[in-house]
């Protein structure tokens, strides 16, 4: 895709610190890391959002994502990792080439306050759970 920074990185037309590459995926260090070793993993095929991922890309990519995560955890001797993936501007996606973030974590590092993500929780009733269940279950 022309003018996509991540497509340029895959093609070698833009610089990156590449960690891994396979037929389906490409991993490199994030230029503006949330923590040291923050890694971006992208499908080589340009897709914008999770619902556009072809099944073969999704399944092969997930195997790579697990492999890369395991490797990073061992290489940096981490206590944990967060894996984040944003879809659409509303969800904080800035680069419109679908990607996963692997974020290295250490005990008490204060890097991400996961509890803060839940500050605006909806009040739920059993009725509302039932409605959502009807609306959302895969048929
Ligand atoms: P998003 O908010 O779209 O989920 O995250 C995009 C990520 O890509 C950000 O963490 C940002 O720092 C990273 N990023 C954007 N442009 C570049 C770039 O040119 N090179 C690298 N290595 N990372 C980038
Ligand atoms: Zn792209």
């Amino acid at each position: 895709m022309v003018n996509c920074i991540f497509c340029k990185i895959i093609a070698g037309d833009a610089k990156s610190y590449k960690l891994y590459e396979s037929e389906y995926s490409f991993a490199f260090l994030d230029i503006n890391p949330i923590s040291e070793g923050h890694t971006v993993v992208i499908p080589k095929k340009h897709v914008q959002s999770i619902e556009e991922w072809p099944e073969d890309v999704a399944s092969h990519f997930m195997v790579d994502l697990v492999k890369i995560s395991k490797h990073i955890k061992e290489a940096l001797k981490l206590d944990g990792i967060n894996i984040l993936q944003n879809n659409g501007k509303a969800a904080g996606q800035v680069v419109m080439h679908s990607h996963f973030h692997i974020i290295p974590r250490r005990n008490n590092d204060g890097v991400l306050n996961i509890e803060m993500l839940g500050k605006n929780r909806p009040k739920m009733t059993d009725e509302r759970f039932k409605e959502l269940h009807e609306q959302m279950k895969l048929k």
Side-chain angles (χ1 to χ4, degrees):
M1 173 75 70
V2 197
N3 281 334
C4 169
I5 182 61
F6 286 178
C7 281
K8 284 184 183 152
I9 285 174
I10 293 166
D13 295 334
K15 185 188 161 179
S16 77
Y17 290 96
K18 178 171 99 175
L19 299 181
Y20 177 81
E21 179 177 9
S22 75
E23 189 184 342
Y24 289 91
S25 59
F26 194 102
F28 53 97
L29 293 177
D30 195 294
I31 204 169
N32 186 22
I34 292 174
S35 63
E36 279 196 11
H38 177 173
T39 297
V40 179
V41 191
I42 62 181
K44 281 188 169 171
K45 181 180 172 62
H46 181 100
V47 284
Q48 186 162 315
S49 198
I50 195 79
E51 66 271 21
E52 293 173 13
W53 286 53
E55 276 187 10
D56 65 323
V57 173
S59 53
H60 286 96
F61 183 91
M62 187 50 82
V63 172
D64 285 340
L65 187 68
V66 170
K67 187 191 295 185
I68 297 161
S69 301
K70 189 166 178 271
H71 174 79
I72 290 173
K73 189 157 181 253
E74 285 168 7
L76 296 182
K77 298 185 170 45
L78 301 172
D79 299 313
I81 50 175
N82 293 107
I83 296 180
L84 301 179
Q85 204 259 328
N86 305 325
N87 296 281
K89 281 201 180 112
Q93 185 177 7
V94 174
V95 177
M96 293 299 159
H97 182 130
S98 202
H99 54 277
F100 280 71
H101 299 262
I102 298 176
I103 301 175
R105 300 299 305 273
R106 299 186 190 279
N107 291 331
N108 305 312
D109 62 12
V111 160
L112 272 179
N113 193 344
I114 290 297
E115 292 76 30
M116 284 301 287
L117 295 177
K119 282 295 170 206
N120 256 329
R121 295 190 191 219
K123 287 266 179 293
M124 296 303 292
T125 60
D126 202 38
E127 194 52 38
R128 188 64 188 133
F129 273 120
K130 280 183 188 151
E131 282 172 9
L132 285 172
H133 183 235
E134 263 321 300
Q135 201 179 344
M136 291 170 67
K137 67 187 176 191
L138 279 74
K139 288 169 181 131

